[in-house]
Coordinates of all heavy atoms in Angstrom, one line a residue:
A298 N 0.9 -1.2 0.0 CA 0.0 0.0 0.0 C 0.9 1.3 0.0 O 0.6 2.2 -0.7 CB -0.9 0.0 1.2
E299 N 2.0 1.2 0.7 CA 2.9 2.4 0.8 C 3.5 2.5 -0.6 O 3.7 3.7 -1.0 CB 3.9 2.1 1.9 CG 3.4 2.3 3.3 CD 4.4 1.9 4.4 OE1 5.5 1.7 4.0 OE2 4.0 1.9 5.5
A300 N 3.9 1.4 -1.2 CA 4.5 1.5 -2.5 C 3.5 2.1 -3.5 O 3.8 2.9 -4.4 CB 4.9 0.1 -3.0
L301 N 2.2 1.6 -3.4 CA 1.2 2.2 -4.3 C 1.0 3.7 -4.1 O 0.8 4.4 -5.0 CB 0.0 1.4 -4.0 CG -1.3 1.8 -4.9 CD1 -0.9 1.4 -6.4 CD2 -2.5 1.0 -4.6
E302 N 1.0 4.1 -2.8 CA 0.9 5.5 -2.5 C 2.0 6.2 -3.1 O 1.9 7.4 -3.6 CB 0.7 5.6 -1.0 CG 0.3 7.0 -0.5 CD 0.1 7.1 1.0 OE1 -0.7 6.3 1.5 OE2 0.8 7.9 1.6
D303 N 3.3 5.8 -2.9 CA 4.4 6.4 -3.4 C 4.4 6.5 -5.0 O 4.6 7.5 -5.6 CB 5.7 5.7 -3.1 CG 6.1 5.8 -1.6 OD1 5.5 6.8 -1.0 OD2 6.9 5.1 -1.1
Y304 N 3.9 5.4 -5.5 CA 3.7 5.5 -7.0 C 2.7 6.5 -7.4 O 3.0 7.2 -8.4 CB 3.3 4.1 -7.5 CG 3.0 4.0 -9.0 CD1 4.0 4.0 -9.9 CD2 1.7 4.0 -9.5 CE1 3.8 4.0 -11.3 CE2 1.4 4.0 -10.8 CZ 2.4 4.0 -11.7 OH 2.2 4.0 -13.0
G305 N 1.6 6.6 -6.7 CA 0.6 7.6 -7.0 C 1.1 9.0 -6.9 O 0.9 9.9 -7.7
R306 N 1.9 9.3 -5.8 CA 2.5 10.5 -5.6 C 3.5 10.8 -6.7 O 3.5 11.9 -7.2 CB 3.2 10.6 -4.3 CG 3.5 11.9 -3.7 CD 4.1 11.9 -2.3 NE 3.4 11.2 -1.4 CZ 3.8 10.1 -0.7 NH1 5.1 9.8 -0.8 NH2 3.1 9.4 0.2
H307 N 4.4 9.8 -7.1 CA 5.3 10.0 -8.2 C 4.6 10.3 -9.5 O 5.0 11.2 -10.3 CB 6.2 8.7 -8.3 CG 7.1 8.8 -9.4 ND1 8.2 9.6 -9.4 CD2 7.1 8.1 -10.6 CE1 8.8 9.4 -10.6 NE2 8.2 8.6 -11.3
D308 N 3.5 9.5 -9.7 CA 2.8 9.7 -11.0 C 2.1 11.2 -11.0 O 2.2 11.8 -12.0 CB 1.6 8.7 -11.0 CG 0.9 8.7 -12.3 OD1 1.6 8.8 -13.4 OD2 -0.4 8.6 -12.4
K309 N 1.6 11.6 -9.9 CA 1.1 13.0 -9.8 C 2.2 14.0 -10.1 O 2.0 15.0 -10.9 CB 0.4 13.3 -8.5 CG -0.3 14.6 -8.4 CD -0.9 14.7 -7.1 CE -1.6 16.0 -7.0 NZ -2.4 16.2 -5.7
E310 N 3.3 13.9 -9.5 CA 4.5 14.7 -9.7 C 4.9 14.8 -11.2 O 5.2 15.8 -11.8 CB 5.6 14.4 -8.8 CG 5.4 14.7 -7.3 CD 6.5 14.0 -6.5 OE1 7.4 13.4 -7.0 OE2 6.4 14.3 -5.3
E311 N 4.9 13.6 -11.7 CA 5.3 13.5 -13.2 C 4.2 14.2 -14.1 O 4.6 14.8 -15.0 CB 5.3 11.9 -13.5 CG 5.9 11.7 -14.9 CD 7.4 12.0 -14.9 OE1 8.1 11.9 -13.9 OE2 7.9 12.3 -16.0
R312 N 3.0 14.0 -13.8 CA 1.9 14.7 -14.6 C 2.1 16.3 -14.5 O 1.9 16.9 -15.4 CB 0.5 14.3 -14.2 CG 0.1 13.0 -14.7 CD -1.3 12.6 -14.3 NE -1.2 12.3 -12.9 CZ -2.2 12.2 -12.0 NH1 -3.4 12.4 -12.5 NH2 -2.1 11.9 -10.8
I313 N 2.4 16.8 -13.2 CA 2.6 18.1 -13.0 C 3.8 18.6 -13.8 O 3.7 19.7 -14.5 CB 2.7 18.5 -11.5 CG1 1.4 18.2 -10.8 CG2 3.3 19.9 -11.3 CD1 1.6 18.4 -9.3
R314 N 4.9 17.9 -13.7 CA 6.2 18.2 -14.5 C 5.9 18.3 -15.9 O 6.3 19.1 -16.7 CB 7.2 17.2 -14.2 CG 8.6 17.7 -14.7 CD 9.7 16.7 -14.3 NE 9.7 16.3 -12.9 CZ 9.5 15.0 -12.4 NH1 9.3 14.1 -13.2 NH2 9.5 14.9 -11.1
W315 N 5.1 17.2 -16.5 CA 4.8 17.2 -17.9 C 3.9 18.3 -18.3 O 4.2 18.9 -19.4 CB 4.1 15.8 -18.1 CG 3.7 15.6 -19.6 CD1 4.5 15.3 -20.6 CD2 2.4 15.9 -20.1 NE1 3.8 15.2 -21.8 CE2 2.5 15.5 -21.5 CE3 1.1 16.2 -19.7 CZ2 1.4 15.6 -22.4 CZ3 0.1 16.3 -20.5 CH2 0.2 16.0 -21.9
R316 N 3.0 18.7 -17.5 CA 2.1 19.8 -17.8 C 3.0 21.2 -17.9 O 2.8 22.0 -18.8 CB 1.0 20.0 -16.8 CG 0.0 21.1 -17.2 CD -1.1 21.2 -16.2 NE -1.6 20.1 -15.6 CZ -1.7 19.9 -14.2 NH1 -1.3 20.9 -13.4 NH2 -2.2 18.8 -13.7
Q317 N 3.9 21.3 -16.9 CA 4.7 22.5 -17.0 C 5.6 22.6 -18.1 O 5.7 23.6 -18.7 CB 5.5 22.5 -15.7 CG 4.8 22.8 -14.4 CD 5.6 22.6 -13.1 OE1 6.6 22.0 -13.2 NE2 5.1 23.2 -12.0
E318 N 6.1 21.4 -18.5 CA 6.9 21.4 -19.8 C 6.1 21.7 -21.0 O 6.6 22.4 -21.9 CB 7.6 20.0 -20.0 CG 8.7 19.7 -19.0 CD 9.2 18.2 -19.1 OE1 8.8 17.5 -20.0 OE2 10.1 17.9 -18.3
R319 N 4.9 21.2 -21.0 CA 4.1 21.4 -22.2 C 3.7 22.9 -22.3 O 3.7 23.5 -23.3 CB 2.7 20.6 -22.1 CG 1.9 20.7 -23.3 CD 0.6 19.8 -23.2 NE -0.1 20.4 -22.1 CZ -1.0 19.7 -21.4 NH1 -1.2 18.4 -21.5 NH2 -1.8 20.3 -20.4
E320 N 3.4 23.5 -21.1 CA 3.1 25.0 -21.1 C 4.3 25.8 -21.5 O 4.2 26.7 -22.2 CB 2.6 25.4 -19.6 CG 1.3 24.9 -19.3 CD 0.9 25.1 -17.9 OE1 1.7 25.7 -17.2 OE2 -0.3 24.8 -17.5
Q321 N 5.4 25.4 -21.1 CA 6.7 26.0 -21.5 C 6.9 26.0 -22.9 O 7.3 26.9 -23.6 CB 7.9 25.5 -20.6 CG 9.2 26.2 -20.9 CD 10.3 25.7 -20.0 OE1 10.1 24.8 -19.2 NE2 11.5 26.3 -20.2
N322 N 6.7 24.7 -23.5 CA 6.9 24.5 -24.9 C 5.9 25.4 -25.7 O 6.3 25.9 -26.7 CB 6.8 23.1 -25.2 CG 7.9 22.2 -24.8 OD1 9.0 22.8 -24.5 ND2 7.7 20.9 -24.7
E323 N 4.7 25.5 -25.2 CA 3.7 26.3 -25.9 C 4.1 27.7 -25.9 O 4.0 28.5 -26.9 CB 2.4 26.1 -25.2 CG 1.2 26.8 -25.9 CD 0.8 26.3 -27.2 OE1 1.3 25.2 -27.6 OE2 0.2 27.0 -27.9
K324 N 4.6 28.3 -24.7 CA 5.0 29.6 -24.6 C 6.2 29.9 -25.7 O 6.3 30.9 -26.3 CB 5.5 30.0 -23.2 CG 4.3 30.2 -22.3 CD 4.8 30.5 -20.8 CE 3.6 30.5 -19.9 NZ 4.1 30.7 -18.5
E325 N 7.2 29.0 -25.7 CA 8.3 29.1 -26.6 C 7.8 29.1 -28.0 O 8.3 29.9 -28.8 CB 9.3 27.9 -26.4 CG 10.4 27.9 -27.2 CD 11.4 29.0 -26.8 OE1 11.4 29.5 -25.7 OE2 12.2 29.4 -27.7
R326 N 6.8 28.2 -28.4 CA 6.3 28.2 -29.7 C 5.7 29.5 -30.1 O 5.9 30.1 -31.1 CB 5.4 27.0 -29.9 CG 4.9 26.8 -31.3 CD 3.9 25.6 -31.3 NE 2.6 26.0 -30.7 CZ 1.6 26.6 -31.3 NH1 1.7 27.1 -32.5 NH2 0.5 26.9 -30.7
L327 N 4.9 30.0 -29.2 CA 4.2 31.4 -29.4 C 5.2 32.5 -29.6 O 5.1 33.4 -30.4 CB 3.2 31.6 -28.3 CG 1.9 30.7 -28.2 CD1 1.1 31.1 -26.9 CD2 1.2 30.9 -29.5
R328 N 6.2 32.4 -28.7 CA 7.3 33.4 -28.8 C 8.0 33.4 -30.2 O 8.3 34.4 -30.9 CB 8.3 33.3 -27.7 CG 9.4 34.4 -27.7 CD 10.4 34.1 -26.6 NE 11.2 33.0 -26.9 CZ 12.2 32.8 -27.8 NH1 12.4 33.8 -28.6 NH2 12.8 31.7 -28.0
E329 N 8.3 32.2 -30.7 CA 9.0 32.0 -32.0 C 8.0 32.5 -33.1 O 8.5 33.1 -34.0 CB 9.3 30.6 -32.2 CG 10.5 30.0 -31.3 CD 10.8 28.6 -31.5 OE1 10.0 27.9 -32.2 OE2 11.7 28.1 -30.8
I330 N 6.7 32.2 -33.0 CA 5.8 32.7 -34.0 C 5.7 34.2 -34.0 O 5.8 34.8 -35.0 CB 4.4 32.1 -33.8 CG1 4.3 30.6 -34.1 CG2 3.3 32.8 -34.5 CD1 3.1 29.9 -33.6
E331 N 5.7 34.8 -32.9 CA 5.7 36.2 -32.7 C 7.0 36.9 -33.4 O 6.9 37.8 -34.1 CB 5.6 36.7 -31.3 CG 5.2 38.1 -31.1 CD 3.8 38.4 -31.7 OE1 2.9 37.6 -31.6 OE2 3.7 39.6 -32.1
E332 N 8.2 36.3 -33.1 CA 9.4 36.7 -33.6 C 9.4 36.6 -35.2 O 9.8 37.4 -35.9 CB 10.6 36.0 -33.1 CG 10.9 36.3 -31.6 CD 12.1 35.5 -31.1 OE1 12.7 34.7 -31.9 OE2 12.5 35.6 -29.9
S333 N 8.8 35.5 -35.6 CA 8.8 35.2 -37.0 C 7.9 36.3 -37.7 O 8.3 36.8 -38.8 CB 8.2 33.8 -37.3 OG 8.0 33.6 -38.7
K334 N 6.8 36.6 -37.1 CA 5.9 37.6 -37.7 C 6.5 39.0 -37.7 O 6.5 39.7 -38.8 CB 4.6 37.8 -36.8 CG 3.6 36.7 -37.0 CD 2.4 36.9 -36.1 CE 1.3 35.8 -36.3 NZ 0.2 36.0 -35.4
K335 N 7.2 39.3 -36.6 CA 8.0 40.6 -36.6 C 9.1 40.6 -37.7 O 9.3 41.7 -38.4 CB 8.7 40.9 -35.3 CG 7.6 41.2 -34.2 CD 8.3 41.4 -32.9 CE 7.2 41.7 -31.8 NZ 7.9 41.9 -30.4
E336 N 9.8 39.5 -37.9 CA 10.9 39.5 -38.9 C 10.3 39.6 -40.3 O 10.8 40.3 -41.1 CB 11.6 38.2 -38.7 CG 12.8 38.0 -39.7 CD 13.6 36.7 -39.5 OE1 13.6 36.2 -38.3 OE2 14.1 36.3 -40.4
K337 N 9.2 38.9 -40.6 CA 8.5 39.0 -41.9 C 8.0 40.5 -42.1 O 8.1 41.0 -43.2 CB 7.4 38.0 -42.0 CG 7.9 36.6 -42.1 CD 6.7 35.7 -42.2 CE 7.2 34.2 -42.4 NZ 6.1 33.2 -42.5
E338 N 7.5 41.1 -41.1 CA 7.0 42.4 -41.2 C 8.1 43.4 -41.5 O 8.0 44.3 -42.4 CB 6.2 42.8 -39.9 CG 5.6 44.1 -40.0 CD 4.8 44.5 -38.7 OE1 4.2 43.6 -38.1 OE2 4.8 45.7 -38.4
Q339 N 9.2 43.2 -40.8 CA 10.4 44.0 -41.1 C 10.9 43.8 -42.5 O 11.3 44.7 -43.2 CB 11.5 43.7 -40.1 CG 12.8 44.6 -40.2 CD 12.4 46.0 -40.1 OE1 11.6 46.4 -39.2 NE2 13.1 46.9 -40.8
Q340 N 11.0 42.5 -43.0 CA 11.4 42.3 -44.3 C 10.4 42.9 -45.4 O 10.9 43.4 -46.3 CB 11.4 40.7 -44.6 CG 12.5 40.1 -43.9 CD 12.4 38.5 -44.0 OE1 11.5 38.0 -44.6 NE2 13.5 37.8 -43.6
W341 N 9.1 42.9 -45.1 CA 8.2 43.5 -46.0 C 8.4 45.0 -46.1 O 8.4 45.6 -47.1 CB 6.8 43.2 -45.5 CG 5.7 43.9 -46.3 CD1 4.9 44.9 -45.9 CD2 5.4 43.6 -47.7 NE1 4.1 45.4 -47.0 CE2 4.3 44.5 -48.1 CE3 5.8 42.7 -48.6 CZ2 3.8 44.5 -49.3 CZ3 5.2 42.7 -49.9 CH2 4.3 43.6 -50.2

């Protein structure tokens, strides 16, 4: 039961970490898109 509880806790931490990474990747992607738009506008 303790092992199962530890596994559940570890699983929850892993999901939180994964969500944070996903959010960070999304922010990075949006930043890159914004930079690309600015660069294209400057080229135009």
Side-chain angles (χ1 to χ4, degrees):
E299 290 174 5
L301 184 61
E302 193 175 300
D303 287 343
Y304 175 76
R306 198 175 310 121
H307 174 71
D308 189 42
K309 184 176 181 179
E310 290 170 359
E311 191 66 30
R312 282 183 288 167
I313 291 170
R314 191 176 312 115
W315 181 76
R316 187 180 325 123
Q317 289 171 345
E318 287 176 5
R319 189 179 65 205
E320 289 172 357
Q321 185 177 357
N322 289 341
E323 182 68 17
K324 286 178 184 178
E325 181 69 22
R326 187 181 69 83
L327 291 174
R328 187 185 61 78
E329 288 175 358
I330 289 171
E331 194 65 31
E332 285 179 5
S333 175
K334 284 181 181 178
K335 287 180 182 179
E336 186 177 327
K337 286 180 182 179
E338 187 176 323
Q339 183 61 34
Q340 288 175 350
W341 175 252

